[in-house]
Amino acid sequence: MRVLLTPRWIIAHLVVLVVAVVFAGLGFWQLDRHEQRLVDNAVNQSRFGDDPIPFTELLSAAGSDFTSLRFRRTSVTGVFDTDNEVLIRSQVYLDTAGFHVVTPLVQSSGEAVLINRGWVPLVLDTVPVIEAPPPQGEVTVEGWIETSKMRGALGPTDPEEGRLISMNRVDIQRIQEQVPYKLQPVYVIALGARNGQIPVAVSPPSFDDEGPHLSYAVQWFGFALVGLVGYGFLIRRSLGRPRQKRSSSDEPGAANAD
């Protein structure tokens, strides 16, 4: 056992211990993320299940905490302005590429809410989308609220200047630069029957996805366990190497026994 207390072995013990602790810590971190995902799913499901609340009331109650409005059902009244409609790229319906049509709904206050009216096929790549017009006159739209989308670290970029008819995401600040009225800081995805007519309503959100965090936690714990067990076998092998047994002829004085 003394061999395990040599500097070389002590360093090995410390390295294996640190690695195992790090892996276990990552496992517990993934468990925490899994629990948070479950909580978020429950909260969002509760929000989406509530009765619709008028948009102005929700916006006023939220203050500057716009993320608290995500998935809340709402209703908003105004007049669609197709002259400032935009298309959102890379949207798929039944394995067919297309766009989401986003149209400002001008309220009586003079401000406007962006409304995602649904999907249209790729061939309808000009605005306003004549083949998928919104209702005329004052209408009330029911849907759920989403926050403005930002470019990710590796996401495609939209031009910073000029009038855009298609974009990679619903970036409210970017759209604000090309409309003559103030846009609300969140937008609404319209609910509707998916009857095949265009624009096809966006599918309601699902809150059943628990994410990959639980499987990641199992993997990290597994790595820690494999490392410790493997190191244990290495120690056992080092300590348990069979020693060569000397034959009786190798005993001292055996050669003179005759």
Side-chain angles (χ1 to χ4, degrees):
M1 296 294 292
R2 290 183 179 179
V3 68
L4 299 181
L5 299 178
T6 61
R8 178 181 176 184
W9 276 103
I10 290 176
I11 293 175
H13 300 334
L14 292 175
V15 169
V16 171
L17 180 61
V18 169
V19 171
V21 169
V22 169
F23 284 174
L26 290 171
F28 283 114
W29 174 59
Q30 289 293 341
L31 286 180
D32 289 341
R33 295 192 65 186
H34 175 71
E35 291 299 323
Q36 186 60 52
R37 181 65 174 265
L38 296 181
V39 171
D40 290 343
N41 284 349
V43 170
N44 293 334
Q45 179 67 68
S46 176
R47 291 176 180 175
F48 192 78
D50 289 341
D51 293 333
I53 298 175
F55 182 84
T56 52
E57 292 184 20
L58 284 174
L59 194 63
S60 176
S64 60
D65 184 15
F66 302 132
T67 57
S68 66
L69 296 176
R70 290 194 70 207
F71 303 114
R72 290 194 180 277
R73 295 272 296 278
T74 190
S75 60
V76 58
T77 301
V79 177
F80 279 113
D81 175 20
T82 55
D83 289 340
N84 289 292
E85 202 164 71
V86 295
L87 300 172
I88 307 301
R89 305 184 193 100
S90 304
Q91 308 301 323
V92 177
Y93 171 66
L94 297 180
D95 297 326
T96 302
F99 304 96
H100 279 176
V101 183
V102 175
T103 311
L105 185 73
V106 182
Q107 303 168 282
S108 59
S109 64
E111 299 178 343
V113 183
L114 294 177
I115 307 293
N116 184 336
R117 297 196 293 116
W119 177 91
V120 296
L122 200 61
V123 293
L124 304 182
D125 58 352
T126 59
V127 291
V129 183
I130 304 299
E131 295 83 350
Q136 295 184 350
E138 186 175 79
V139 296
T140 297
V141 177
E142 183 177 323
W144 74 92
I145 295 176
E146 266 294 354
T147 54
S148 181
K149 305 305 179 186
M150 305 297 291
R151 175 182 177 270
L154 301 177
T157 60
D158 289 315
E160 297 181 359
E161 299 179 354
R163 172 81 164 86
L164 303 180
I165 65 172
S166 64
M167 305 176 64
N168 290 296
R169 62 192 65 83
V170 184
D171 184 342
I172 296 177
Q173 292 183 350
R174 180 62 184 86
I175 298 174
Q176 178 68 79
E177 298 177 8
Q178 58 189 48
V179 298
Y181 33 70
K182 179 182 178 182
L183 294 177
Q184 300 290 9
V186 292
Y187 70 100
V188 174
I189 301 178
L191 285 166
R194 310 193 83 188
N195 52 14
Q197 296 181 350
I198 57 172
V200 180
V202 178
S203 297
S206 173
F207 307 102
D208 298 329
D209 185 7
E210 298 180 359
H213 307 300
L214 188 58
S215 62
Y216 288 167
V218 172
Q219 290 179 16
W220 285 120
F221 289 135
F223 292 155
L225 181 61
V226 168
L228 291 174
V229 171
Y231 189 62
F233 277 112
L234 177 62
I235 292 176
R236 182 178 179 181
R237 180 180 179 183
S238 298
L239 295 179
R241 288 176 179 171
R243 297 181 178 179
Q244 294 290 337
K245 291 185 179 181
R246 291 179 296 182
S247 64
S248 58
S249 60
D250 293 332
E251 293 295 331
N256 300 324
D258 293 336

